[in-house]
Amino acid sequence: MDPIIQLELSKLNSSIPFRASSGHRHHTWAKTFHSRPELYIRPQSTEEIRKAVTLARRCRRRLVTVGCGHSPSDLTCTSSWMMNLDHFNRILSVDEEKSIVVMEAGIRLHELGSELRKHGLAMPNIGSIDNQAIAGALGTATHGSSTRHGLLSQSVLGLKIMLADGRIVSCSADENKELFRAALVSLGALGILTEVTYQAVPAFDIEWQQSLQSLDEIISEWSKELWTTAEFTRVWWMPYMKKAVVWRADKTTKPSRPPKQTWYGGLFGYHAYHIILYFAQWIPSLLPSIEKFVIGVQYGFSSGAVNSAVEDGHRGLLMNCLYSQFVNEWALPLSNGPEALSRLSAWLNGDLESARIPFNPSNLYVHAPIEVRVSDSSTTTPRPYLDNTMPDGPTLYINATLYRPYNRDPPCKERYYEAFEWLMKDLGGRPHWAKNFQNVSRNEFWNMYPDMGEWIRIRNDVDPEGMFVGEWHRRNLLPLPVSETGGPSDSGSSDSKHDHRVGFLPLEEHEVTRIKARGGGLEWRGEVRAAKDDSRSKSTKSDAKDLSPQGSEESFELLQAGSVASMTTSEGKSEEEEEEEEL
């Protein structure tokens, strides 16, 4: 460990463990990005989290919180300090009568589901996987697939967040509402989520049924009953077959009935499909035939083929993601779905006149299926500032998935995603925060989100030094700083009322390079300029107030008058305050 870090660590309370290691290699679940944090920290209590935050502030380090790394982007990459909350995962209280659960924010969704079941409770809705921590699922606007449910954050009643000065702040629809709206989709840039109060529902089973239908049938049923017949509905679309699997589920009291064994759900089929996809990297023109064969074996070769089961609701709503993959999912108005699918289908099958997409699909072949899901957060209050769903009606999600067989990137990725994203923007879409969008500018994000300025204002207030800011946030969201001459250094928001351009933040991490990683993906490397500058200095300052350009209390200007004092308990005191009390 760096001697400077050891020196600062020696000044803190030695009775509180600092569970950190060096040499950890982080990678996303899909192994699309890799990074090597200087320290990998695994706290088990609020006090341990606060100690790490205090040490990071004193040592001028950025701090990144990570769970399973399911986002395939570089959002969680760092060469600074990484904190994993897998051991900060307890259920703190359960009110079975009101179905209200309080939990530590590191709990994984599969752990939460198991714990809730013990109390006769369940999550009302869940996405396709449950390996994420609740903090990450909320922070990236995770959703399921139902017009009767919105984002997972729709069920959140309250949050506790540890800010960069070590204080814990509570927020909800009634308390610190602005912070609550910012924190519900925080993208890890406000602080460390420590506690979630969640509205669960009575445990339930579902009966699901899936059938193979033609694309024409899907489009004809779109505005009638496709998305409303059942509580949960999702569609897997095969672009070359021009067919789709429609999956519907409703709650039931029927006895359990397990699903039939599927082809690639078995060991042989799983590896056979993987190998086939790998060989198609060199002969992409095989992909239409592969789609027809694999989907036929898996779901049936003729329209109308049906499969069904009765399962526990949590388990039944999940799906097998199979292999490493790029995922590029966009949210757009549900009413634009037929046009989106028809034009994308036309483009992928070479009908440029009908597609009206200004990119050439010649010799381009993609993977199946394309996942289509829905949600409705239009009645949710308060609405997260960075909620990517439609504010005035149901939202459609289209996910252009590309497998990475044996961690090798498919040759069609750049051109396919360029055309796909162009179409999504043409139809009023917004990308999912945790996915692999790659052709969206900072200005486009600002135009997509009228409340972006408010989110950035609150972010800058609660973390003025940028302890939780990285290259991903600057590239996509935060305006570039005012230049040395006093003018804007980019074409960011020109509205002076919402002009949040400031200098690069002292603890903000910047990308230095990305190189090909051994075994596939990219190795990401960054640096925190403040830490780099400190490492060149012969002496260090240990007083955090001297290091900071403003007092820690100033970061709370957004809070209601007097709310800081009322929320600062013994567990919410900063390390500096505790040291003063000891003296």
Side-chain angles (χ1 to χ4, degrees), residues 151-372:
L151 302 179
L152 264 61
S153 61
Q154 190 177 52
S155 299
V156 173
L157 302 177
L159 300 171
K160 287 187 178 181
I161 308 166
M162 184 174 292
L163 303 183
D165 68 353
R167 296 178 189 266
I168 293 179
V169 178
S170 298
C171 59
S172 67
D174 301 315
E175 180 183 19
N176 299 312
K177 183 176 177 179
E178 287 187 338
L179 180 60
F180 186 57
R181 292 184 66 189
L184 283 173
V185 181
S186 70
L187 303 174
L190 274 67
I192 298 173
L193 192 61
T194 59
E195 189 175 298
V196 179
T197 301
Y198 188 82
Q199 181 66 64
V201 298
F204 59 91
D205 293 337
I206 58 170
E207 180 178 27
W208 58 260
Q209 178 177 291
Q210 63 187 26
S211 60
L212 189 64
Q213 299 179 217
S214 70
L215 181 59
D216 289 341
E217 288 179 291
I218 298 295
I219 292 176
S220 67
E221 293 179 20
W222 194 275
S223 59
K224 298 175 184 177
E225 56 183 25
L226 176 64
W227 301 107
T228 57
T229 300
E231 181 172 356
F232 305 97
T233 306
R234 56 193 176 199
V235 172
W236 295 295
W237 167 41
M238 275 57 74
Y240 300 114
M241 294 174 68
K242 298 185 180 179
K243 293 183 179 181
V245 173
V246 179
W247 184 97
R248 293 185 174 101
D250 274 311
K251 293 170 184 171
T252 185
T253 57
K254 293 180 181 180
S256 176
R257 186 176 76 252
K260 297 176 183 178
Q261 178 68 50
T262 60
W263 183 66
Y264 55 57
L267 187 64
F268 173 78
Y270 175 89
H271 289 290
Y273 188 21
H274 207 179
I275 292 169
I276 291 171
L277 288 172
Y278 182 75
F279 281 112
Q281 298 279 83
W282 285 271
I283 314 176
S285 59
L286 291 175
L287 285 172
S289 298
I290 291 171
E291 175 186 300
K292 294 174 184 177
F293 169 74
V294 171
I295 298 304
V297 172
Q298 179 74 7
Y299 298 107
F301 288 95
S302 60
S303 296
V306 174
N307 189 14
S308 65
V310 176
E311 296 184 279
D312 166 75
H314 184 105
R315 184 186 310 111
L317 290 171
L318 304 176
M319 64 169 286
N320 186 351
C321 291
L322 295 177
Y323 321 113
S324 169
Q325 55 194 249
F326 290 114
V327 281
N328 195 345
E329 181 178 73
W330 284 62
L332 62 157
L334 181 61
S335 58
N336 289 350
E339 181 179 352
L341 268 60
S342 296
R343 290 174 63 184
L344 185 57
S345 176
W347 188 77
L348 290 171
N349 288 281
D351 182 359
L352 297 183
E353 183 178 353
S354 299
R356 305 191 309 279
I357 298 174
F359 298 95
N360 186 358
S362 178
N363 297 317
L364 181 141
Y365 301 93
V366 304
H367 297 151
I370 295 172
E371 186 178 36
V372 184

Side-chain angles (χ1 to χ4, degrees), residues 471-528:
E471 182 73 28
W472 187 98
H473 302 102
R474 180 65 68 181
R475 180 174 73 241
N476 294 305
L477 307 179
L478 304 184
L480 289 177
V482 176
S483 68
E484 293 181 1
T485 61
S489 56
D490 76 338
S491 58
S493 173
S494 59
D495 183 348
S496 60
K497 181 180 178 181
H498 300 291
D499 192 344
H500 299 280
R501 288 187 295 265
V502 295
F504 283 116
L505 304 172
L507 303 186
E508 174 181 347
E509 186 172 14
H510 303 270
E511 181 176 334
V512 174
T513 187
R514 55 178 69 183
I515 60 175
K516 289 184 177 181
R518 181 180 300 176
L522 295 172
E523 182 92 22
W524 189 100
R525 297 174 184 173
E527 69 177 15
V528 176

Side-chain angles (χ1 to χ4, degrees), residues 3 8 27 93 104 115 119 171 184 252 329 405 514 546 564:
E8 293 299 334
H27 62 75
S93 68
E104 292 176 332
E115 290 297 319
H119 297 276
C171 59
L184 283 173
T252 185
E329 181 178 73
R514 55 178 69 183
D546 290 338
V564 176

Side-chain angles (χ1 to χ4, degrees), residues 44-59:
Q44 298 181 12
S45 68
T46 301
E47 292 75 16
E48 292 182 31
I49 295 174
R50 180 177 295 109
K51 185 171 187 175
V53 168
T54 300
L55 192 62
R57 185 175 64 251
R58 293 184 174 189
C59 295

